[in-house]
Amino acid sequence: MNSPSPRKLRVATASLAGCFGCHMSFLDIDEHLFELVELIEFDRSPLTDIKDVGPCDIGLIEGGVCNAENVHVLREFRRNCKTLIALGACAVNGGLPAQRNHIPLAECLREVYQFRDGVANGQIPNDPELPLPLDKVRPIHEVVRVDYFIPGCPPSGPAIWKFLTDLLAGRTPRLSGGLLHYD
């Protein structure tokens, strides 16, 4: 008689203020995706198109926090995920989106929407459907508690695979040497 298969871990992913490069690197684990889906099932993720995160074992967040919607999504992940992982430079330290932090938000919005070359009669968007921008782009650990950080811009597929397999096997994830790069 066959014993029941072990429970698959539930994993959710989200992209906040970033370029989606970390999700592309996640897909770069290539044929290991087939091994991974034997061990996990996806909850909210661009891979599933599920919009709300349910109770999960692992949450992977890429991107910094730049608006009210990002804060909401991040807090929802923290509430529902046993383990929360900051994936990539934007989630870890704000990354490229945080380069606007040295410019006051109002000045940044005026420059982009009103005074840019080729813009005539420009207006700063003021639609209630748009999330309110924050004064600064923040790394996710400034908003919620984060359990692990995977650095890189983006982290490599092999680094993500090594990290996840360590975590899934109950080992403390460790990345070193050639798995870490910043190019």
Side-chain angles (χ1 to χ4, degrees):
M1 180 176 234
N2 291 339
S3 61
S5 299
R7 179 182 77 86
K8 288 185 175 186
L9 297 180
R10 289 190 64 80
V11 175
T13 71
S15 182
L16 305 178
C19 70
F20 214 75
C22 295
H23 271 85
M24 296 306 295
S25 280
F26 183 81
L27 294 175
D28 280 345
I29 68 173
D30 298 326
E31 68 277 356
H32 292 302
L33 281 171
F34 297 112
E35 295 172 57
L36 189 62
V37 296
E38 294 298 319
L39 303 171
I40 70 165
E41 60 184 351
F42 284 102
D43 191 82
R44 177 187 168 152
S45 173
L47 304 173
T48 62
D49 203 30
I50 296 172
K51 302 300 184 202
D52 296 309
V53 65
C56 285
D57 298 290
I58 299 170
L60 292 162
I61 300 283
E62 81 163 293
V65 182
C66 78
N67 62 44
E69 180 182 21
N70 293 163
V71 171
H72 171 77
V73 168
L74 188 54
R75 287 181 176 156
E76 179 185 35
F77 265 71
R78 181 68 276 179
R79 253 189 325 276
N80 286 289
C81 299
K82 293 176 186 172
T83 301
L84 192 63
I85 302 168
L87 180 62
C90 295
V92 171
N93 63 27
L96 288 173
Q99 288 190 7
R100 77 161 166 90
N101 287 353
H102 68 283
I103 302 169
L105 180 59
E107 183 181 330
C108 184
L109 292 172
R110 281 192 304 272
E111 183 64 32
V112 169
Y113 292 105
Q114 292 180 307
F115 303 121
R116 186 177 211 145
D117 287 342
V119 173
N121 302 319
Q123 294 183 353
I124 297 172
N126 190 20
D127 187 311
E129 293 290 318
L130 295 175
L132 292 172
L134 302 177
D135 287 338
K136 304 280 184 196
V137 176
R138 306 269 181 220
I140 70 171
H141 73 271
E142 289 185 9
V143 178
V144 298
R145 180 180 57 80
V146 173
D147 300 296
Y148 295 103
F149 298 83
I150 304 177
C153 185
S156 69
I160 295 169
W161 173 247
K162 166 82 167 68
F163 192 94
L164 287 176
T165 54
D166 281 351
L167 194 61
L168 292 170
R171 298 185 298 266
T172 299
R174 302 215 186 282
L175 299 176
S176 61
L179 290 175
L180 297 175
H181 65 88
Y182 303 93
D183 46 290

